[in-house]
Amino acid sequence: MVVMNSAVLGRAQQVADAFAASTGLAVDAAEILTGRAALLGLAPRGRISAGGATRLLKTGDGWVALTLSRPDDVAAVPALVGADTVDSDPWPAVEQWAARRDAAQFAERARLLGLPAAVLGETAAAPPRIARVGDRSTARALTGLLVADLSSMWAGPLCGQLLLRAGATVVKVESPGRPDGTRAGATAFFDWMNHGKLSYAVDFDDIGPLLKTADVVIEASRPTALTRRGLGPESASARDGRVWLRITGHGTAGERADWAAFGDDAAVSGGLVEYRDGAPAFTGDAIADPLTGLHAAHAIVESCARGGGELIEFAMAAVAAEYAPLAGDGDAVGVVAPPLSPSGPALGADDAEVRRLIAEREAQAC
């Protein structure tokens, strides 16, 4: 089962090796990038993504990607194509509508409807944005740090899992009414990303005490989701040296801040595709997700070594764009299955322990 190429893998291994040099934790980039495909038996199928929810579509002047992974996405297809209804398989109608539009028109209309869409190669490579948002502390290793992982799906949870393996205590935070969507999917993938984390089920309006006492915060929501609750990275009562990691699909500037994204369409936005007979095809499995998670973990380690007090913002499309020139250079490689993981935590299983950790840290601050 071939899912990517050796040049992309080689660059990712360089990042994994840098993380290992700082933490002592050996990381196999092949396992990180292809592990889900191995666990679930997935492979990209040309213009259909490995997971099946994203497709590359030909427009009048280029190529776009669209993801229909959520019920609301499928429900929005009639509005996208200007029809009262569409068949149970919405893709033929989408493909026909795309062929009569240019790429920019397609993406604009899809995004107005909240759909994860991308124009091939629209995003340039860029490093993460790093800003000071608090007081620094002394340089720290990950051992003993408290990480609040507010993310879901893949990129953020992978980052948290790598920090956990390197010695941090990681709290997986989920709203009781809207838990991580991967809980409803394949158990093996959820377990791989989340085993060993403490599960804290709490309304996000009530996570202030955890955010104030955490050394690292991982979030992957739209930039205003926490800020409008008064819980953003600029919070004045943060612990010294706190590192705040924000993962988005397309960044936080202007209209891009509101663009929805998943790993496959974000990769297309960054131009990370393979070409077969002159046409683009997906490479890897939602490849922008694991690449971003790996880069983000390394960035957190570097920030802790500087004393923290920083907001680090990664856009998945920009990370993918860094790898785009490599996509056609290497040989095809197969998947590497991760070791069988223990079960991930039941929702809210560690609420009491998390509250104890918060109280302990609040007492230390007095």
Side-chain angles (χ1 to χ4, degrees), residues 135 137 140 144-150 168-171 173 200 207-218 233 235 237-245 304 308-310 354 357-362 364-365:
D135 294 329
S137 67
R140 297 171 296 173
L145 297 191
L146 180 62
V147 178
D149 181 2
L150 280 58
T169 297
V170 179
V171 177
V173 184
Y200 188 37
I207 60 174
L210 175 61
L211 299 186
K212 291 175 184 177
T213 55
D215 300 295
V216 177
V217 177
I218 301 170
S235 172
S237 55
R239 189 177 181 89
D240 286 354
R242 184 181 68 185
V243 179
W244 191 291
L245 173 75
C304 288
E310 295 178 336
V354 174
L357 287 172
I358 293 171
E360 181 181 273
R361 286 178 160 239
E362 288 176 334
Q364 291 172 352

Side-chain angles (χ1 to χ4, degrees), residues 76-127:
V77 170
L80 174 68
V81 302
D84 293 332
T85 61
V86 297
D87 294 337
S88 57
D89 177 4
W91 286 111
V94 173
E95 291 171 352
Q96 292 170 17
W97 191 83
R100 299 193 299 269
R101 303 292 185 278
D102 65 35
Q105 289 172 333
F106 180 95
E108 180 180 16
R109 185 169 177 84
R111 287 163 175 160
L112 283 173
L113 294 168
L115 294 170
V119 177
L120 177 59
E122 67 186 338
T123 300

Side-chain angles (χ1 to χ4, degrees), residues 164-181:
L164 172 76
R165 295 182 196 175
T169 297
V170 179
V171 177
K172 182 170 182 61
V173 184
E174 298 170 87
S175 168
R178 192 176 181 182
D180 187 336

Side-chain angles (χ1 to χ4, degrees), residues 8-20 25-30 32-33 154-160 162-163 245 247 287-301 314 319 323:
V8 171
L9 177 59
R11 171 70 184 100
Q13 188 62 54
Q14 292 176 3
V15 180
D17 290 345
F19 180 81
L25 175 70
V27 176
D28 183 352
I32 294 297
L33 300 188
W154 196 351
L158 170 60
C159 175
L162 292 174
L163 301 184
L245 173 75
I247 296 173
I287 191 68
D289 268 305
L291 286 175
T292 302
L294 176 61
H295 278 254
H298 181 226
I300 287 173
V301 171
F314 274 93
V319 174
Y323 288 79

Side-chain angles (χ1 to χ4, degrees), residues 14-15 45 70 90 104 148 153 167-168 193 224 227 257 268 276 281 298 310 356:
Q14 292 176 3
V15 180
R45 293 161 282 166
R70 304 165 294 186
M153 306 304 286
M193 287 295 99
T224 59
T227 301
V268 171
R276 301 174 187 172
H298 181 226
E310 295 178 336
R356 186 194 67 77

